[in-house]
Amino acid sequence: MRFFVWPVGLMLVLAGLQGCATNPAGTTSSVLTPAMASTAAAAKGGYVLSADELDYDCKQLTGRMQVRILEIRDYNERTRSTAASRLLQSAVTGIIGGTDAGKDPKGAYVKDRAMLQAYNGQLAAKGCKSFKLDDDVRPKDVKITPVPSVAAPAGTGQKPKP
């Protein structure tokens, strides 16, 4: 029993130190970086399109959405990491470095859904066919590529595009 408690205690101490290492005492950041703004927007259920994304045509928006839909389509069925494994990853990456990928799978999913919503709105605003997101993100065979099926809204002032 003693051998089990010691590593767990060490992991908890290391996780606490990781927070100290990433934010030195007395420093606060009042600057909102673009990544932080994007994360904040996603947390509120929104996504802010960048200037480049606003310039995408129908084909570019559709292609990016198809890829993202295929990436998140099986989110609910995939085995997710446990809280213990995310804690261990936080402790290890805080000490020796590494990637933050996978630490917050639900947050990543929420951000991806918000981006898809924004892209879908942009498709409609440009007079393009858009996606039925709720249907398209449901688990399906990976060979089934999502395609836009909602006709462009009337009154957009633009000719509908494929």
Side-chain angles (χ1 to χ4, degrees):
M1 181 73 177
R2 187 180 307 174
F3 293 107
F4 176 73
V5 174
W6 187 83
V8 172
L10 179 64
M11 286 188 335
L12 292 174
V13 169
L14 292 175
L17 291 175
Q18 186 260 341
C20 297
T22 58
N23 190 13
T27 60
T28 57
S29 176
S30 61
V31 177
L32 190 62
T33 65
M36 292 166 61
S38 160
T39 303
K44 293 179 183 175
Y47 178 87
V48 179
L49 294 172
S50 70
D52 288 338
E53 290 170 327
L54 290 170
D55 289 337
Y56 291 163
D57 61 18
C58 296
K59 186 176 179 180
Q60 290 171 313
L61 286 166
T62 299
R64 289 172 191 269
M65 287 186 70
Q66 287 172 324
V67 170
R68 191 56 51 97
I69 289 169
L70 290 171
E71 288 175 348
I72 70 169
R73 186 179 266 175
D74 65 344
Y75 169 77
N76 289 325
E77 277 65 38
R78 258 184 283 151
T79 355
R80 291 187 210 79
S81 58
T82 62
S85 68
R86 288 193 302 270
L87 175 66
L88 180 60
Q89 181 184 11
S90 294
V92 171
T93 57
I95 295 170
I96 61 173
T99 181
D100 286 340
K103 279 188 183 177
D104 184 16
K106 182 160 176 73
Y109 177 78
V110 168
K111 183 178 176 183
D112 286 343
R113 276 301 299 250
M115 187 214 64
L116 287 170
Q117 286 290 126
Y119 276 27
N120 213 30
Q122 185 69 359
L123 281 172
K126 288 184 176 266
C128 313
K129 284 187 175 181
S130 57
F131 291 84
K132 293 179 184 175
L133 287 179
D134 289 336
D135 290 336
D136 289 328
V137 297
R138 285 195 180 103
K140 296 177 186 160
D141 189 350
V142 294
K143 295 177 185 173
I144 300 172
T145 304
V147 292
S149 58
V150 179
T156 57
Q158 297 182 7
K159 182 177 133 188
K161 300 174 187 172

